[in-house]
């Protein structure tokens, strides 16, 4: 606040200048609004196309449908397969929810150990954790696939969910750790004097205070596992196990017989959960990105 | 009995660090370290999933550079993609961060609009949408036609091998929102006193950006650059969906991860896929180190 006050004092210039500044401000605003609309145009067009009758979709770039129909949603939901999008959505929600729970538990436990506890090899472990963030998933996926297959877990959700319970996503460990480091150590000390064990300090004192970092973890984990394609296409081989992303893939094969309407309808639906999360938790997303440099 | 419980709880409290670390230690060991060692070993074998791996020495690595022309295409496509799209994306995010840093009405809404593509960009849905937008009958061609560029409006920007990669590049640049937010946070950290001093000395806003803000946020620029390079090397979903799953006409969209997927998970040649994976790790490592070395002179850290 203080800084802003100094700046505005410094910028205090004759009236003519100030009028120019205001004009520039509104020009910037106008340009930025046009740019935002251009950025979002493809998405808006997709949503609008999902309500257009099939044959009119490519006749115009416009957003207002000539005719309005839910037909695309009905046809799309049936999915041209032995199972429908009911199954795909159910599977996606199951995988994303379990991933969220896994990351919440495992990453917060790890973060507390690195942020507050002392133990042998802490420095080494921490460096290894940071290093694994740099290793592409592709370097480990072949052996992982072989072993999950040997254990008969191919075509189950275990290979997608289990890693989350073992804290493989260092990003979230780092995020929560940074947050815990920002909390005053006096809290831990006071609780310890009151007779709290290290476990009680974590569960009763620190964890409730980490809520913002935990919410960021929840949202990003949900979105990332919702959007995940590479791991899912490798492990989920049969239709009853497919997720929304795998269900959508069917439409690419079917584009010869024009199915654009249903395809846009289901694509739109697949983005709804992310958009909802974004609308309600925008603040946490933006802060999460800004503080840790997470890729959104 | 009661005494033993007490001793145990004391012990647990003393070694709490390891107790809290159990999930991560297990994960690191079972899902990272052992798989890394194994895939390194497999990369020197002809492992096919059904039989036992046989040691074949450097055969897999030799094959990459001699007979596997898909590998050559994959490396070319991936490097082109990384080195065209990432600089453009970083440039766009920097420019917009500077514009948004000035006072703009409705900042929160505009920032949100710019950020949404970063959230949705990696999804199958958006890749499907891209495939339609840049197809022969797509709205991109409608746009070209309506602004008088009829001669280009019959091209399929997806299927024509000369342009296909362009659509993928546009898709990444479109997702400039997330580095932009990081830049915006960094610019806000620049001490106002520096900028005031420069203003008093007669520096205009362009000079302030070039001489003060850019050097001060240079570590963040490097950070964003490295993170985006790493993520661009891993691109899969977009290229897979836009190309229809096969790497496109004349391999024009065959990014490296699609090649790994084809070899490992379609042909089940696990030995060769492991070798390809290790080459990816090597490429990412080399370019990350290069980014650090090349920017060393220009990146300033607080002492």
């Amino acid at each position: 606040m203080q800084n802003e006050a100094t700046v505005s004092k410094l910028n205090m210039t004759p009236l003519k200048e100030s009028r120019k500044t205001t004009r520039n401000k509104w020009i910037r605003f106008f340009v930025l609004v046009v740019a935002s609309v251009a950025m979002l145009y493809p998405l808006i067009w997709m949503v609008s196309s999902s309500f257009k009758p099939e044959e009119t979709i490519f006749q115009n770039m416009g957003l207002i449908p000539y005719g309005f129909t839910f037909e695309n949603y009905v046809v799309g939901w049936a999915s041209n397969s032995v199972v429908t999008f009911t199954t795909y959505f159910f599977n996606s929600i199951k995988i994303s929810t379990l991933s969220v729970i896994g990351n919440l538990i495992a990453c917060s436990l790890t973060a507390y150990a690195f942020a507050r506890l002392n133990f042998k090899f802490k420095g080494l472990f921490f460096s290894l954790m940071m290093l694994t963030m740099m290793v592409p998933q592709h370097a480990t996926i072949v052996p992982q696939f072989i072993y999950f297959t040997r254990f008969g877990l191919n075509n189950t959700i275990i290979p997608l969910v289990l890693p989350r319970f073992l804290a493989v996503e260092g990003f979230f460990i780092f995020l929560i750790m940074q947050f815990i480091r920002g909390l005053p150590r006096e809290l831990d000390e006071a609780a310890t004097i009151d007779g709290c064990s290290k476990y009680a300090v974590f569960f009763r004192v620190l964890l409730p205070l980490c809520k913002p970092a935990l919410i960021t973890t929840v949202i990003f984990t949900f979105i990332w596992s919702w959007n995940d394609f590479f791991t899912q296409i490798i492990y989920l081989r049969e239709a009853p196990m497919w997720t929304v992303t795998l269900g959508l893939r069917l439409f690419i094969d079917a584009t010869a017989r024009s199915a654009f309407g249903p395809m846009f309808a289901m694509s739109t639906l697949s983005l709804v959960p992310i958009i909802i999360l974004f609308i309600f938790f925008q603040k946490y997303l933006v802060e999460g990105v800004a503080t840790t440099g997470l890729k959104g | 009995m009661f005494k033993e419980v007490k001793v145990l709880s004391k012990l647990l409290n003393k070694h709490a660090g390891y107790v809290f670390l159990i999930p991560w230690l297990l994960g690191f060991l079972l899902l990272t370290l052992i798989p890394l060692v194994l895939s390194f070993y497999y990369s020197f074998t002809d492992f096919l999933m059904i039989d036992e791996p046989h040691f074949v020495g450097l055969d897999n690595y030799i094959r990459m550079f001699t007979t596997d022309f898909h590998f050559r295409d994959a490396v070319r496509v991936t490097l082109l993609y990384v080195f065209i799209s990432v600089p453009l994306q970083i440039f766009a995010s920097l420019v917009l961060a500077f514009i948004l840093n000035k006072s703009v009405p409705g900042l929160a809404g505009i920032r949100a609009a710019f950020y949404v593509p970063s959230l949705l960009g990696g999804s199958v849905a958006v890749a499907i949408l891209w495939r339609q937008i840049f197809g022969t009958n797509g709205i991109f061609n409608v746009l070209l036609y309506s602004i008088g560029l009829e001669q280009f409006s019959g091209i399929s920007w997806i299927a024509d091998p000369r342009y296909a990669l362009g659509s993928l590049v546009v898709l990444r640049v479109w997702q400039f929102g997330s580095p932009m937010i990081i830049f915006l946070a960094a610019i806000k950290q620049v001490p106002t006193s520096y900028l005031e001093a420069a203003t008093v000395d007669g520096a205009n806003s362009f000079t302030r950006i070039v001489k003060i803000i850019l050097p001060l946020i240079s570590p963040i620029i490097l950070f964003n650059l490295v993170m985006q390079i790493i993520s661009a090397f891993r691109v899969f979903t977009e290229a897979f969906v836009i190309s229809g799953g096969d790497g496109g006409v004349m391999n024009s969209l065959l990014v490296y991860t699609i090649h790994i997927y084809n070899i490992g998970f379609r042909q089940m040649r696990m030995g060769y896929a492991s070798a390809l994976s290790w080459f990816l790790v090597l490429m990412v490592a080399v370019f990350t180190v290069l980014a650090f070395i090349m920017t060393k002179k220009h990146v300033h850290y607080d002492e």
Side-chain angles (χ1 to χ4, degrees):
Chain A
M1 273 322 271
Q2 210 179 357
N3 283 342
E4 273 170 36
T6 351
V7 171
S8 64
K9 217 181 286 170
L10 201 84
N11 284 348
M12 241 193 261
T13 35
L15 195 66
K16 219 173 161 188
E17 272 288 303
S18 145
R19 208 175 269 158
K20 200 180 139 202
T21 327
T22 322
R23 203 191 61 204
N24 282 347
K25 194 168 92 176
W26 285 102
I27 292 176
R28 262 202 306 277
F29 173 70
F30 180 72
V31 171
L32 285 170
V33 168
V34 172
S36 321
V37 173
M39 289 274 294
L40 297 183
Y41 192 87
L43 294 169
I44 302 167
W45 180 75
M46 175 173 78
V47 176
S48 125
S49 297
S50 72
F51 293 108
K52 290 177 193 169
E54 180 76 45
E55 59 284 0
T56 69
I57 289 177
F58 283 103
Q59 284 166 13
N60 67 332
M61 279 169 62
L63 299 179
I64 300 149
Y66 286 137
F68 186 88
T69 171
F70 280 111
E71 178 71 14
N72 294 327
Y73 283 84
V74 177
V75 175
W77 193 270
S79 167
N80 271 327
S81 171
V82 283
V83 291
T84 66
F85 265 85
T86 316
T87 311
Y88 304 150
F89 269 94
F90 180 74
N91 287 336
S92 273
I93 290 170
K94 198 165 67 180
I95 289 170
S96 298
T97 310
L98 286 171
S99 299
V100 164
I101 296 171
N103 263 353
L104 271 183
I105 297 173
C107 293
S108 63
L109 290 178
T110 315
Y112 174 60
F114 281 133
R116 283 295 211 259
L117 301 176
N118 283 314
F119 47 90
K120 236 181 174 174
F121 305 122
K122 183 174 162 179
L124 173 72
F125 287 156
F126 183 69
S127 322
L128 286 175
M129 192 272 289
M130 295 302 282
L131 212 69
T132 51
M133 284 203 264
M134 298 286 164
V135 178
Q137 188 195 11
H138 313 86
T140 52
I141 192 119
V142 169
Q144 282 182 16
F145 177 78
I146 292 165
Y147 280 87
F148 280 124
T149 309
R150 291 259 162 95
F151 289 123
L153 296 171
N154 208 336
N155 210 30
T156 69
I157 64 166
I158 304 277
L160 305 167
V161 167
L162 179 73
R164 262 65 183 248
F165 282 87
L166 299 179
V168 292
E169 281 177 301
F171 274 128
F172 299 111
I173 299 175
F174 190 65
L175 173 90
I176 303 170
M177 200 187 79
Q178 291 296 77
F179 199 88
I180 294 180
R181 276 184 176 169
L183 300 172
R185 264 182 191 276
E186 287 77 27
L187 286 173
D188 309 27
E189 284 155 16
T192 313
I193 290 167
D194 288 347
C196 279
S197 69
K198 279 162 183 160
Y199 303 88
V201 168
F202 172 65
F203 286 107
R204 297 217 187 140
V205 182
L206 296 179
L207 203 57
L209 292 171
C210 285
K211 217 166 92 188
L214 297 179
I215 292 177
T216 310
T217 304
V218 169
I219 301 161
F220 274 114
T221 307
F222 190 92
I223 293 176
W224 288 355
S225 34
W226 189 267
N227 278 343
D228 174 38
F229 185 61
F230 187 66
T231 336
Q232 294 180 357
I233 201 177
I234 285 172
Y235 286 110
L236 306 178
R237 302 247 157 178
E238 283 158 33
M241 294 307 297
W242 283 349
T243 55
V244 175
T245 48
L246 295 181
L248 281 176
R249 183 192 48 160
L250 286 187
F251 289 115
I252 323 171
D253 310 329
T255 39
R257 297 173 291 111
S258 78
F260 294 112
M263 184 171 78
F264 286 144
M266 291 304 110
S267 296
T268 303
L269 276 190
S270 81
L271 298 180
V272 166
I274 303 177
I275 298 286
I276 291 176
L277 282 178
F278 177 71
I279 291 170
F280 284 103
F281 296 102
Q282 209 205 109
K283 199 185 99 197
Y284 293 98
L285 283 170
V286 170
E287 273 170 19
V289 174
T291 51
T292 58
L294 284 169
K295 190 200 168 292
Chain B
M1 182 65 191
F2 189 66
K3 204 179 159 194
E4 275 151 16
V5 172
K6 228 176 173 180
V7 169
L8 184 71
S9 83
K10 216 172 177 182
L11 212 65
L12 271 177
N13 206 35
K14 197 179 162 206
H15 296 289
Y18 293 113
V19 177
F20 277 96
L21 222 53
I22 287 171
W24 178 81
L25 276 172
L26 277 176
F28 177 71
L29 216 64
L30 297 176
L31 295 169
T32 308
L33 191 62
I34 294 175
L36 277 178
V37 173
L38 279 175
S39 85
F40 191 65
Y41 161 67
Y42 291 148
S43 77
F44 298 102
T45 69
D46 62 355
F47 196 23
L48 290 174
M49 207 59 197
I50 31 171
D51 56 352
E52 287 303 302
H54 306 285
F55 192 75
V56 293
L58 286 170
D59 275 12
N60 287 327
Y61 291 96
I62 292 167
R63 181 181 306 126
M64 278 186 213
F65 293 99
T66 50
T67 51
D68 184 359
F69 66 93
H70 289 299
F71 168 80
R72 235 169 299 162
D73 288 342
V75 171
R76 199 196 64 233
V77 168
T78 307
L79 290 182
L80 271 176
Y81 170 71
V82 172
F83 292 108
I84 296 172
S85 69
V86 173
L88 286 175
Q89 185 196 20
I90 296 291
F91 182 74
S93 60
L94 250 182
V95 169
L96 278 141
F98 280 120
I99 297 175
L100 288 189
N101 188 47
K102 298 195 164 194
S103 82
V104 179
L107 172 73
I110 290 169
R111 194 179 56 182
F114 285 154
Y115 181 60
V116 164
S118 289
L119 270 188
L120 308 180
S123 64
V124 171
V126 166
I128 283 179
L129 173 65
W130 233 246
R131 202 173 136 86
Q132 305 320 318
I133 290 177
F134 291 102
T136 317
N137 298 319
I139 54 170
F140 182 66
N141 276 339
V142 178
L143 176 76
L144 287 180
Y145 189 84
S146 66
I147 59 173
L149 294 166
E150 290 97 348
Q151 66 269 37
F152 298 111
S153 64
I155 296 171
S156 167
W157 305 93
I158 300 297
D160 189 322
R162 283 172 300 175
Y163 307 113
L165 194 59
S167 63
L168 211 58
V169 169
V170 172
L171 182 50
R172 174 166 281 274
V173 179
W174 188 59
Q175 301 171 53
F176 65 76
S178 116
M180 181 197 77
I181 285 176
I182 299 171
F183 282 138
L184 207 51
I187 294 171
K188 293 248 186 288
Q189 298 285 317
V190 173
T192 3
S193 58
Y194 292 13
L195 300 173
E196 284 164 20
T199 315
V200 171
D201 289 347
N204 60 22
S205 69
F206 182 74
T207 323
R208 284 200 299 264
I209 287 175
V210 174
K211 298 272 175 176
I212 299 172
I213 302 179
L214 280 183
L216 281 173
I217 65 165
S218 52
I220 305 295
I221 301 179
L222 177 63
F223 172 82
N224 269 335
L225 199 64
V226 169
M227 294 313 280
Q228 294 301 333
I229 287 176
I230 292 175
S231 109
F233 267 109
R234 298 178 188 182
V235 66
F236 178 76
T237 312
E238 301 92 309
F240 187 94
V241 172
I242 292 176
S243 71
D246 60 2
V249 179
M250 292 170 70
N251 286 346
S252 54
L253 287 169
L254 187 80
V255 295
Y256 200 84
T257 51
I258 295 187
H259 191 44
I260 294 181
Y261 175 77
N262 284 342
I263 298 290
F265 302 98
R266 276 191 172 134
Q267 303 171 16
M268 296 291 161
R269 292 156 68 189
M270 294 306 179
Y272 190 35
S274 296
L276 289 171
S277 310
W278 271 97
F279 189 76
L280 178 68
V281 174
L282 189 74
M283 271 201 295
V284 174
V286 165
F287 285 108
T288 308
V289 171
L290 269 183
F292 275 99
I293 292 173
M294 282 165 64
T295 54
K296 207 175 168 186
K297 262 192 182 161
H298 307 286
V299 175
H300 307 269
Y301 295 97
D302 283 342
E303 250 99 271

